[in-house]
């Protein structure tokens, strides 16, 4: 009696397990809804002033005074700093004294030349009357010509000294450093009392920048650069204000890359207004370049889309078979669908479409439909045709019934060796 009851209980348990294994789990579905989708290229960037200038010095010397501080708003031509002018003032004074001495020599030689001209005229008249010798006449002629040459040499020295004076006066003026543009002092690299050496390169004292317009400099990988187009919309957020988007348009992609850890990156630039002056230099920015966008359109999950095989898809309305049936090849990733015209691509760009296959529940059964999508990202895609709002699409396939595959001929399921 006990043996019969145990056999009945074992048989009931086997039929329960077999029935549960042969019952496929319910389909996971998602309803097509109206919404918005945006395909973007993300990058990390930093903020820089669009217009700025590093103010340096053209002369060497001790930095005597700095008249501005960090954050000071300056106007063009405003005095910023001064270098000790003592050495340059002495050079100017020496040039001026030398110039006065040369001009005095010119006056002296001019008087001597006038006397020499008078003596030459006297000798010429006497020679005509045969009242003087030829030698005296030649001596008077040579004297006046010598004095004329000396005056010319002194005038050349005066021009040289005047040129030196202008250079020394310019160096003296360079000891006062003025603002070349209006803006805000964002950095001061020199300190008051510091000795600056301008013989090899111009030392930088401070930086002036216009903060009304900022430039966002981003590093975009070589895989994403082909998606960027000059003039495309871009937006970014900062660490301090992650909830606020600031918008601009891509202005430039620099052709020379930067290689970081074997990754090729290209600098991409765009500008943004900063009327509130809350964006500061060197701030970090999370940047998004908008490749495609669609609003108020039917949306379908990318997980519900399957690429069309090379041999073509089943016609719309046909009941689909197992996902891995046929040749045994698994499904390709959703991004490898076929574009119109037979080309393959990950996601369609602005205005392009891609055809996929989606499985829609009709009367409880999955039915394949050919779906044309537009803008898409890694999660959702815009439906151009093939699906309507309210359709339930299958986003995964039930697991195969393991009991049927492991069941021996005419016997119970084979669960493998027991330990």
């Amino acid at each position: 009696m006990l043996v019969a009851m145990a056999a009945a209980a074992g048989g009931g348990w086997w039929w329960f397990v077999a029935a549960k294994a042969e019952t496929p789990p319910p389909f996971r579905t998602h309803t097509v809804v109206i919404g918005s989708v945006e395909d973007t290229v993300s990058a990390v960037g930093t903020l820089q002033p669009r217009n700025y200038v590093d103010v340096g010095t053209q002369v060497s010397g001790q930095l005597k005074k700095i008249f501005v501080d960090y954050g000071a708003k300056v106007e063009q031509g405003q005095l910023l700093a001064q270098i000790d002018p003592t050495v340059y003032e002495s050079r100017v004074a020496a040039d001026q004294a030398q110039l006065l001495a040369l001009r005095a020599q010119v006056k002296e030689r001019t008087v001597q030349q006038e006397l020499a001209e008078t003596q030459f005229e006297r000798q010429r008249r006497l020679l005509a009357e045969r009242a003087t010798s030829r030698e005296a006449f030649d001596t008077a002629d040579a004297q006046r010509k010598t004095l004329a040459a000396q005056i010319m040499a002194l005038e050349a020295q005066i021009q040289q000294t005047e040129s030196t004076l202008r250079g020394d006066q310019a160096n003296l003026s360079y000891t006062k450093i003025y603002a070349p543009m209006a803006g805000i002092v964002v950095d001061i690299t020199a300190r008051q009392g510091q000795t600056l050496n301008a013989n090899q390169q111009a030392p930088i004292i401070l930086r002036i920048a216009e903060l009304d317009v900022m430039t966002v400099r981003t590093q975009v990988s070589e895989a994403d650069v082909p998606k960027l187009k000059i003039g495309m919309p871009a937006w970014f957020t900062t660490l301090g204000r992650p909830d606020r988007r600031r918008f601009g348009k891509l202005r430039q992609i620099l052709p020379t890359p930067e290689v970081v850890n074997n990754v090729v990156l290209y600098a991409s630039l765009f500008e943004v207004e900063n009327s509130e002056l809350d964006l500061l230099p060197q701030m970090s920015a999370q940047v998004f370049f908008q490749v495609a966008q669609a609003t108020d359109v039917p949306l379908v999950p990318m997980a519900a889309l399957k690429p069309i095989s090379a041999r073509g898809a089943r016609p719309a309305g046909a009941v689909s078979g197992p996902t891995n049936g046929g040749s045994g090849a698994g499904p390709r990733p959703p991004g490898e669908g076929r574009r119109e015209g037979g080309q393959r691509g990950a996601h369609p760009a602005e205005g392009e479409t891609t055809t996929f296959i989606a499985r829609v529940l009709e009367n409880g059964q999955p039915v394949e439909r050919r779906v044309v999508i537009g803008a898409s990202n890694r999660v959702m895609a815009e439906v151009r045709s093939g699906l309507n709002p309210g359709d339930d699409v299958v986003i995964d396939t039930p697991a195969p019934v393991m009991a049927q595959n492991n069941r021996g001929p005419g016997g119970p399921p084979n669960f493998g060796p027991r330990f």
Side-chain angles (χ1 to χ4, degrees):
M1 181 66 178
L2 292 176
V3 175
M5 292 179 62
W13 177 83
W14 179 80
W15 286 110
F16 172 77
V17 172
K20 185 176 181 181
E22 294 177 357
T23 303
F27 291 99
R28 290 183 56 198
T29 62
H30 188 282
T31 303
V32 178
V33 296
I34 300 295
S36 301
V37 64
E38 184 179 37
D39 183 16
T40 59
V41 171
S42 61
V44 177
T46 56
L47 296 176
Q48 299 176 353
R50 184 181 64 176
N51 295 324
Y52 69 91
V53 60
D54 290 326
V55 182
T57 174
Q58 295 179 259
V59 294
S60 302
Q62 186 183 40
L63 186 58
K64 189 174 183 181
K65 183 68 175 177
I66 298 179
F67 299 98
V68 294
D69 202 353
Y70 289 95
K73 188 174 183 180
V74 298
E75 300 295 334
Q76 184 176 1
Q78 179 177 337
L79 181 63
L80 302 176
Q82 185 173 9
I83 295 175
D84 186 5
T86 304
V87 175
Y88 302 98
E89 288 175 345
S90 64
R91 291 178 182 176
V92 170
D95 293 339
Q96 291 174 341
Q98 185 178 1
L99 191 60
L100 290 175
L102 290 173
R103 287 173 178 171
Q105 292 181 30
V106 169
K107 288 184 179 181
E108 179 186 0
R109 295 296 190 276
T110 302
V111 173
Q112 293 177 359
Q113 185 185 28
E114 291 175 355
L115 176 60
E117 290 289 345
T118 302
Q119 291 176 350
F120 173 75
E121 287 295 329
R122 183 183 299 114
Q123 291 294 328
R124 186 178 62 80
R125 289 194 301 269
L126 292 175
L127 183 63
E129 297 175 358
R130 298 183 180 274
T132 186
S133 65
R134 184 72 183 182
E135 182 181 357
F137 172 79
D138 293 339
T139 300
D141 186 23
Q143 183 67 23
R144 73 183 184 93
K145 291 179 179 179
T146 300
L147 291 172
Q150 292 178 356
I151 291 175
M152 292 178 62
L154 290 172
E155 289 177 346
Q157 292 181 25
I158 289 175
Q159 292 181 357
Q160 182 180 4
T161 305
E162 288 177 342
S163 176
T164 304
L165 176 61
R166 286 192 297 269
D168 290 337
Q169 287 175 336
N171 288 334
L172 177 61
S173 67
Y174 293 152
T175 60
K176 292 184 178 180
I177 301 170
Y178 299 91
M181 60 177 285
I184 295 176
V185 178
V186 297
D187 190 19
I188 299 178
T189 56
R191 294 294 179 265
Q192 189 168 303
Q194 179 180 346
T195 300
L196 305 177
N197 184 4
N199 294 327
Q200 296 181 353
Q201 61 181 4
I204 303 301
I205 296 178
L206 51 84
R207 172 175 289 187
I208 298 175
E210 294 180 353
L211 301 182
D212 296 337
V213 179
M214 302 294 288
T215 295
V216 184
R217 183 186 180 95
T218 64
Q219 298 289 343
V220 181
S221 67
E222 59 178 329
D224 292 329
V225 164
K227 302 177 184 178
L228 303 185
K229 305 296 180 183
I230 301 300
M232 71 187 309
W235 56 272
F236 72 95
T237 59
T238 59
L239 293 177
R241 293 293 304 272
D243 57 333
R244 181 178 179 181
R245 291 188 178 186
R246 303 172 189 265
F247 295 88
K249 291 185 178 180
L250 180 60
R251 172 175 62 87
Q252 187 179 16
I253 301 174
L254 301 186
T256 302
E258 179 182 357
V259 180
V260 179
N261 296 329
N262 294 327
V263 178
V264 181
L265 303 173
Y266 289 86
S268 304
L269 313 178
F270 67 94
E271 277 71 40
V272 62
E273 296 292 334
N274 187 29
S275 58
E276 300 177 8
L277 300 182
D278 57 337
L279 297 177
L280 300 177
Q282 300 304 318
M283 277 188 171
S284 299
Q286 182 65 44
V287 183
F288 299 89
F289 296 97
Q290 187 182 94
V291 179
Q293 184 185 33
T295 57
D296 298 330
V297 295
L299 299 181
V300 62
M302 291 296 297
L305 302 176
K306 306 298 179 184
I308 297 177
S309 64
R311 297 181 180 179
R314 294 176 180 268
V319 179
S320 63
T323 304
N324 294 331
S327 61
R332 293 192 182 96
E336 296 185 1
R338 186 179 64 189
R339 295 185 180 178
E340 297 295 337
Q343 297 179 351
R344 296 181 182 273
H347 297 291
E350 188 74 35
E352 295 184 358
T353 59
T354 306
T355 303
F356 287 90
I357 291 297
R359 306 173 71 219
V360 184
L361 285 186
E362 294 183 2
N363 299 323
Q365 293 295 326
V367 177
E368 288 186 352
R369 289 189 189 176
R370 187 182 295 263
V371 179
V372 178
I373 68 170
S376 64
N377 52 30
R378 296 179 183 273
V379 181
M380 304 296 289
E382 170 200 5
V383 177
R384 295 288 179 87
S385 64
L387 295 175
N388 298 313
D391 288 344
D392 292 326
V393 293
V394 178
I395 61 175
D396 64 358
T397 304
V401 182
M402 300 300 298
Q404 293 180 357
N405 297 334
N406 294 330
R407 182 184 302 166
N414 180 13
F415 295 103
R418 298 178 181 233
F419 297 93

